[in-house]
Amino acid sequence: MMHPPAYNCFVDRDKMDSAIPDLGPKELSCTELQELKQLARQGYWARSYALRGQVYQRLIRDIPCRTVTPDASVYRDIVGKIVGKHSSASLPLPEFVDNTQVPSYCLNSKGEGAVRKILLCISNQFPDVSFCPALPAIVALLLHYSADEAECFEKACRILACNDPSRKLVDQSFLAFESSCMTFGDLVNKYCQAAHKLMVAVSEDVLQVYADWQRWLFGELPLSYFARVFDVFLVEGYKVLYRVALAILKFFHKVRAGQPLESDNVKQDIRTFVRDIAKTVSPEKLLEKAFAIRLFSRKEIQLLQMANEKALKQKGITVKQKSVSLSKRQFVHLAVHADNFHSEIVGVKEMRDIWSWVPERFALCQPLLLFSSLQHGYSLTRFYFQCEGREPTVLLIKTTQKEVCGAYLSTDWSERNKFGGKLGFFGTGECFVFRLQPEVQRYEWVVIKHPELTKPASLESATIPPSPSYSVSSEPADRLSPFLATRHFNLPSKTESLFMAGGSDCLIIGGGGGQALYIDGDLNRGRTGHCDTFNNQPLCSENFLIAAVEAWGFQDPDIQ
C-alpha cells in the first residue's frame, strides 16, 4: 500500500493532491548534467513530492554563489527582529517585488504568511536587489518543497547570489528586467511572426504586452505547470524561460487567431489564457513546444540582452519611474506619427509595419529621413555621404511600376571603406529584406529559420575564410562583436552571410546564388532575385527602373 506523501506544514493537502497527484517515491542516482537535463524535461521527478524536494535541494546547493551567502541560520537569527509583532498576513511586501501578487499555489494560510516573512528577510540581506517581481512566485514554489522557512530562505538566497557570469537566473534590477522584456520582444519578432503580427494589430503598445512575459510564468501559470518549468530552469538556466513564454504565445495565437479577443485588453486576455492553460495544453505539450523552438545560442541571447541594456542606459532608463515609465516603447503609432512623418515612397501605415519589425532597442526611436533621391539627387555617392555615421538604417525603393521594397541594414555604410576600394560584404544577421507592394513580405537571415545550417562557434574560432573574388568583414577576436555577428557561427560557406556591400558603382543587399537587391551607381536601375543569405523570393520585378530611393535613420525621441 502506498503511503500518502509527507507534505510540510505549509501545504494544503487537498489542493496539492488535486494539483499534482503523487505517484510515490523514486530514486535519482544520476549525476551527469546531460542525463539530468533529459530527466528534467521528461518530468522524471514531477510526480514525486519527496524526490522533487531532494532534487531542488541538490540542484540549488550546487549553484556557485558569492562567498558570503545568507543561509538558514541567518534566517533564524533575523526573522524575529524583522517581522516583530506583525501577523504574517499583514506584513508589507518589499519594494523590489513591484506590487506583484504573491501566488499562493497550494499553500495554506500559514504558508502564505511564511512567504511574506521570507521575502522581507531576503530584502534585508540583499539591499542591492532593487527590482525582482519573479521572486514571490519562486519563494512560494520553493516553500512547498522545503522542510521549513529557513531552508526555503537559503534556497532563494542561493538563486539570487549565483556568481557564475554565464548562468543568469533571475533579473534583480529594473534595467535587467526591462532589457529582458525587450529581448523577449526581439525573440517573438523572430520566432513567432504570426503572433507578433496579431499583437501589433490589437495592442496600443506591444512592448507593454511583452513586458508581462515573466508574469505569465511567475504568477499566472498553475503550479503543476510552473513547477515543471522550474525543474528544467534549475538545470538549464534562463533561456528556458524565454522558450516557454514563446510557446505560450504560440498557443495563445493558435487558439485566438480569427476569434475576436475577449476584451479590448490583449494583456489581460493572455493572463487569463495562461491561468486557464489546462483547457488548451498539458505541461508536457507546453514543454515539447518550447523545446521545438530552435533558439539562438545562450551566447547570442546574452549579446542581445547586453545590446538592449546599453540602449536603455543611453536613454537614461535604469530605474522604474514612480510617475511615468520612461521605458514605454514609443510604439509605432507614436514613433511614426501622421503629423511628423512624410515619405515619397511609403505611407504612415507601411512605415508602422516596418517599425514593428525592427529590434526593440531601435523601436524606441522615431524615423529620421537621411536621404531622398528626390531631394538629394540620384547619386550613390551622395547616398553614402548622407548615411555614413548612422546605424542602423532602412533602405526604401519605389520602382516605376509602383512596387515598393527595401531592407533593414544593421551596420554603418562607412564599413565599406575597410575593403580598400574592393567590393566587400559586412553587416550582421539582424539585417532583413522586405517588399510592401504589391503585398507585404519580410525575409530574415536564413540561419534564423534554419539553424541546422550552422553550429555556434566559440568566439575565438569562428572566422570566415577569405575569398579571392570579394571580401567579408571580420573583427579582432578581443572586440565584443554585435548580436548575430557571423563570426559566432560555423557556416558551411560564406554565401549565407553576405548581408550588405557598397562600391562606387553599385550597392548590393544579400548575396550567394544571386542578390536580393542590386542598385547601380546612378540609382537608376536595379535587379532582385533569390539569394542564399535571406532565402528570399524576388522583392519586385526582377529587373526594374527606380522612381525613388530613401534612407531612414533612427532618432531618439526627447524624453520629457
Side-chain angles (χ1 to χ4, degrees):
M1 181 182 148
M2 200 170 76
H3 293 290
Y7 297 133
N8 64 30
C9 63
F10 306 110
V11 170
D12 180 311
R13 176 173 291 279
D14 293 340
K15 283 185 187 170
M16 194 72 174
D17 282 343
S18 160
I20 309 178
D22 197 273
L23 301 181
K26 273 187 178 182
E27 296 298 318
L28 183 69
S29 52
C30 84
T31 51
E32 290 297 313
L33 183 65
Q34 206 46 44
E35 199 181 337
L36 264 179
K37 200 169 163 178
Q38 286 309 112
L39 293 175
R41 288 189 184 191
Q42 291 161 10
Y44 179 79
W45 55 80
R47 288 299 177 88
S48 170
Y49 175 79
L51 185 57
R52 183 177 258 151
Q54 290 164 28
V55 171
Y56 283 3
Q57 186 78 350
R58 175 179 148 187
L59 291 174
I60 294 171
R61 184 195 63 215
D62 291 346
I63 293 173
C65 289
R66 349 177 160 156
T67 318
V68 183
T69 298
D71 60 11
S73 62
V74 169
Y75 182 80
R76 293 185 190 105
D77 287 346
I78 64 173
V79 65
K81 299 175 202 133
I82 287 169
V83 173
K85 295 192 173 77
H86 282 280
S87 78
S88 303
S90 66
L91 283 174
L93 287 171
E95 227 176 88
F96 65 63
V97 309
D98 189 45
N99 297 322
T100 304
Q101 293 299 306
V102 179
S104 55
Y105 299 127
C106 297
L107 296 175
N108 55 28
S109 57
K110 182 176 182 178
E112 289 174 22
V115 172
R116 289 174 171 267
K117 285 159 70 176
I118 293 163
L119 287 169
L120 277 178
C121 291
I122 290 172
S123 173
N124 171 270
Q125 293 294 301
F126 287 85
D128 52 331
V129 174
S130 56
F131 195 83
C132 192
L135 202 57
I138 291 172
V139 170
L141 173 64
L142 291 173
L143 190 58
H144 291 72
Y145 296 97
S146 301
D148 56 23
E149 292 171 20
E151 185 188 294
C152 178
F153 168 84
E154 181 173 320
K155 286 175 185 162
C157 289
R158 290 192 69 79
I159 288 170
L160 288 173
C162 173
N163 64 357
D164 177 349
S166 69
R167 193 172 172 190
K168 172 182 169 174
L169 289 175
V170 282
D171 296 322
Q172 299 176 33
S173 68
F174 184 68
L175 180 65
F177 173 84
E178 196 72 0
S179 61
S180 294
C181 295
M182 289 168 71
T183 302
F184 179 67
D186 286 325
L187 296 176
V188 175
N189 200 344
K190 299 240 178 289
Y191 292 100
C192 308
Q193 289 186 13
H196 181 64
K197 196 173 173 183
L198 176 70
M199 296 303 113
V200 169
V202 299
S203 54
E204 273 292 297
D205 178 358
V206 80
L207 190 57
Q208 290 300 304
V209 176
Y210 297 153
D212 223 25
W213 78 278
Q214 290 196 19
R215 177 167 172 163
W216 307 341
L217 309 177
F218 298 102
E220 303 296 353
L221 267 184
L223 178 68
S224 57
Y225 290 73
F226 178 47
R228 286 294 303 275
V229 173
F230 199 76
D231 294 346
V232 187
F233 163 74
L234 282 180
V235 180
E236 300 190 37
Y238 198 90
K239 187 174 162 184
V240 166
L241 304 179
Y242 284 133
R243 285 185 180 284
V244 176
L246 289 169
I248 285 171
L249 204 54
K250 280 178 178 279
F251 279 117
F252 175 79
H253 174 257
K254 189 177 174 185
V255 168
R256 294 300 162 84
Q259 286 181 19
L261 293 169
E262 285 171 14
S263 70
D264 56 1
N265 184 343
V266 68
K267 193 169 168 176
Q268 208 50 56
D269 278 351
I270 299 175
R271 287 181 185 178
T272 305
F273 173 80
V274 177
R275 274 198 298 276
D276 298 335
I277 197 164
K279 294 176 184 172
T280 306
V281 62
S282 65
E284 290 71 28
K285 288 288 179 200
L286 180 64
L287 287 175
E288 199 178 292
K289 174 75 92 178
F291 287 107
I293 300 168
R294 308 275 299 272
L295 269 192
F296 300 128
S297 70
R298 187 179 300 162
K299 181 73 194 172
E300 283 304 322
I301 290 175
Q302 213 175 349
L303 287 168
L304 177 56
Q305 180 99 6
M306 285 161 68
N308 284 332
E309 277 199 19
K310 189 176 170 190
L312 287 167
K313 277 182 186 161
Q314 284 169 348
K315 291 171 175 53
I317 301 164
T318 55
V319 294
K320 185 161 187 182
Q321 307 298 307
K322 290 283 182 279
S323 55
V324 60
S325 174
L326 291 182
S327 62
K328 183 168 163 60
R329 172 175 171 154
Q330 294 293 313
F331 188 50
V332 291
H333 299 288
L334 302 172
V336 187
H337 198 276
D339 296 345
N340 59 17
F341 175 77
H342 177 71
S343 161
E344 301 292 341
I345 298 179
V346 295
V348 170
K349 184 193 174 300
E350 292 162 315
M351 198 59 156
R352 286 175 178 171
D353 280 341
I354 297 167
W355 234 243
S356 76
W357 297 331
V358 306
E360 291 289 351
R361 63 191 185 277
F362 301 116
L364 294 160
C365 303
Q366 292 170 338
L368 175 69
L369 184 63
L370 304 176
F371 172 85
S372 161
S373 55
L374 299 178
Q375 282 178 42
H376 300 105
Y378 288 77
S379 156
L380 190 54
T381 307
R382 186 64 192 266
F383 171 90
Y384 292 141
F385 177 77
Q386 293 294 127
C387 293
E388 282 183 6
R390 291 283 180 173
E391 182 179 290
T393 53
V394 171
L395 170 69
L396 293 176
I397 298 162
K398 186 177 191 175
T399 72
T400 52
Q401 300 296 307
K402 296 190 167 39
E403 301 155 306
V404 176
C405 60
Y408 170 85
L409 303 166
S410 64
T411 306
D412 189 334
W413 277 107
S414 63
E415 285 280 310
R416 75 188 197 290
N417 299 322
K418 287 184 174 178
F419 301 100
K422 291 183 183 170
L423 196 63
F425 279 87
F426 52 98
T428 72
E430 284 197 293
C431 293
F432 59 81
V433 295
F434 55 85
R435 67 164 169 259
L436 296 175
Q437 296 288 350
E439 76 280 343
V440 177
Q441 184 70 50
R442 169 174 54 145
Y443 299 97
E444 297 201 275
W445 185 28
V446 64
V447 168
I448 291 169
K449 284 244 169 50
H450 298 282
E452 68 276 6
L453 291 172
T454 172
K455 289 178 183 161
S458 74
L459 292 186
E460 289 70 35
S461 65
T463 54
I464 295 166
S467 158
S469 55
Y470 51 70
S471 312
V472 176
S473 173
S474 62
E475 301 166 84
D478 59 349
R479 178 176 154 196
L480 177 67
S481 54
F483 174 56
L484 295 190
T486 50
R487 68 191 191 83
H488 301 179
F489 298 84
N490 274 329
L491 292 162
S493 73
K494 52 201 155 298
T495 63
E496 287 92 5
S497 59
L498 305 177
F499 299 110
M500 50 193 288
S504 54
D505 56 353
C506 70
L507 170 159
I508 297 171
I509 313 296
Q515 291 147 353
L517 277 173
Y518 171 97
I519 299 173
D520 70 11
D522 298 323
L523 304 188
N524 179 27
R525 294 175 180 275
R527 61 176 181 266
T528 175
H530 172 274
C531 78
D532 293 346
T533 299
F534 298 112
N535 191 28
N536 59 291
Q537 295 299 311
L539 302 176
C540 57
S541 306
E542 294 195 19
N543 292 289
F544 56 87
L545 292 173
I546 294 170
V549 175
E550 290 177 352
W552 290 81
F554 293 74
Q555 177 173 275
D556 280 339
D558 293 330
I559 294 174
Q560 300 302 314

